[in-house]
Amino acid sequence: MIGRRFCLKLTNYICIVIFLFCFGILNAQEIVTDRPDQAESAAIVPKAKLQIESGFAYEVSEDDYGKYNSISAPSTLFRYGLFDFLELRFVHQYNNLKMRSEQEKLDICGFSDLEFGIKLAFIKSDYIDLALVSHYAAPTGTDGFGYEKGASINKIAVSHSLSDDISLGYNIGYDYFGQGKGDLNYSVVFGYSITDKLGIFIETYGDFVELKEHSINYDTGFTYLIEDNFQVDFSFGTGIDNKMNFISFGFGWLIK
């Protein structure tokens, strides 16, 4: 009980500090984020700029082994524009997981593996962007939240501008976790700008676990620009062929 209370207090403290800090200073600059959808955008953070994307997610799921409740707060991505075609990336996430089954009860909290990566742009135009997103997850996570041998996480990201208000993006990726065959994943997202500040999206995404067991999901949500360089978001999703529901909210902040 003491450990659980400590985890919840630490989670709340980190979230409050990040949100208060980010609302404290705003600088004018246009922003494109990789959240809240599951797909990564093909856009690169401007050169010599730092972008922080962070948020809260709550997920409920069920499989043959039991029922799960998980909280990620905060899940934070740092992006730095090294060149016009290349950004450096760093991911850090704090988790709380509860699992219940007929034989076992589990309640743990801790950090996921630290992820270091890049996004490399191959095509940048008014109509289509294409980039490679590649991360290495170092085996630094708390027991139950990491991979003993590390992990390689890779995606090809494509973004289309169909009009001034309509966009289409899709990813295809392959992740390897140090053993087995790895997972193949994909996502397709459709976005629409209602106003200059408010946008909505709808997305389908899925995985082929060990290149064979397929699951597919759906999510939707919106983004809102408070300033040209500060965006808030909200999303929720559900499993189509599996028992899963989640809700998420967060922000993106581009700093000079």
Side-chain angles (χ1 to χ4, degrees):
M1 180 63 71
I2 294 176
R4 179 186 174 190
R5 288 177 179 174
F6 174 77
C7 290
L8 293 175
K9 287 181 180 179
L10 179 61
T11 298
N12 292 335
Y13 175 76
I14 293 173
C15 288
I16 290 170
V17 169
I18 287 178
F19 274 94
L20 289 179
F21 178 70
C22 288
F23 275 109
I25 302 173
L26 294 175
N27 300 301
Q29 183 73 43
E30 186 178 355
I31 183 172
V32 179
T33 65
D34 280 350
R35 59 170 298 122
D37 54 6
Q38 306 300 312
E40 305 281 3
S41 75
I44 303 293
V45 169
K47 183 180 178 180
K49 301 295 192 299
L50 173 66
Q51 186 161 304
I52 301 173
E53 302 177 18
S54 187
F56 167 96
Y58 175 68
E59 181 179 306
V60 178
S61 61
E62 183 177 350
D63 60 20
D64 294 338
Y65 301 100
K67 298 180 179 180
Y68 306 84
N69 292 338
S70 64
I71 297 174
S72 300
S75 175
T76 305
L77 167 65
F78 298 88
R79 305 168 59 189
Y80 181 77
L82 191 62
F83 302 108
D84 292 335
F85 59 88
L86 178 67
E87 70 176 46
L88 304 180
R89 299 162 66 87
F90 172 75
V91 180
H92 198 223
Q93 181 168 301
Y94 190 77
N95 312 279
N96 178 239
L97 172 66
K98 297 179 183 179
M99 191 276 283
R100 297 290 184 269
S101 68
E102 294 181 358
Q103 298 81 22
E104 184 181 9
K105 290 184 179 181
L106 184 67
D107 191 347
I108 59 174
C109 59
F111 292 98
S112 298
D113 290 339
L114 296 177
E115 293 184 27
F116 306 89
I118 62 168
K119 182 187 288 188
L120 177 63
F122 291 103
I123 299 175
K124 296 176 67 176
S125 72
D126 294 335
Y127 305 102
I128 183 171
D129 293 342
L130 186 149
L132 168 68
V133 184
S134 183
H135 287 193
Y136 171 69
T140 57
T142 308
D143 289 346
F145 294 111
Y147 303 99
E148 293 183 0
K149 299 180 180 180
S152 175
I153 301 167
N154 309 279
K155 290 183 178 181
I156 294 294
V158 182
S159 300
H160 290 283
S161 294
L162 303 181
S163 72
D164 291 340
D165 301 323
I166 300 173
S167 63
L168 177 67
Y170 45 89
N171 291 176
I172 183 167
Y174 173 74
D175 304 334
Y176 183 69
F177 308 105
Q179 58 185 3
K181 297 179 180 179
D183 298 350
L184 185 67
N185 55 76
Y186 63 90
S187 56
V188 180
V189 58
F190 174 85
Y192 178 70
S193 298
I194 299 175
T195 69
D196 291 340
K197 293 182 176 293
L198 179 64
I200 60 173
F201 75 91
I202 184 171
E203 178 183 36
T204 183
Y205 62 98
D207 298 273
F208 290 91
V209 179
E210 291 294 307
L211 305 183
K212 56 181 180 180
E213 297 180 16
H214 181 234
S215 65
I216 184 170
N217 311 288
Y218 149 88
D219 67 347
T220 186
F222 70 85
T223 60
Y224 185 79
L225 277 175
I226 293 179
E227 297 285 345
D228 286 345
N229 72 315
F230 194 87
Q231 176 179 279
V232 293
D233 60 67
F234 173 82
S235 62
F236 63 93
T238 187
I240 295 176
D241 62 352
N242 61 95
K243 296 181 179 179
M244 184 279 295
N245 294 281
F246 81 86
I247 186 171
S248 174
F249 62 86
F251 67 88
W253 180 31
L254 178 61
I255 309 168
K256 288 189 177 181

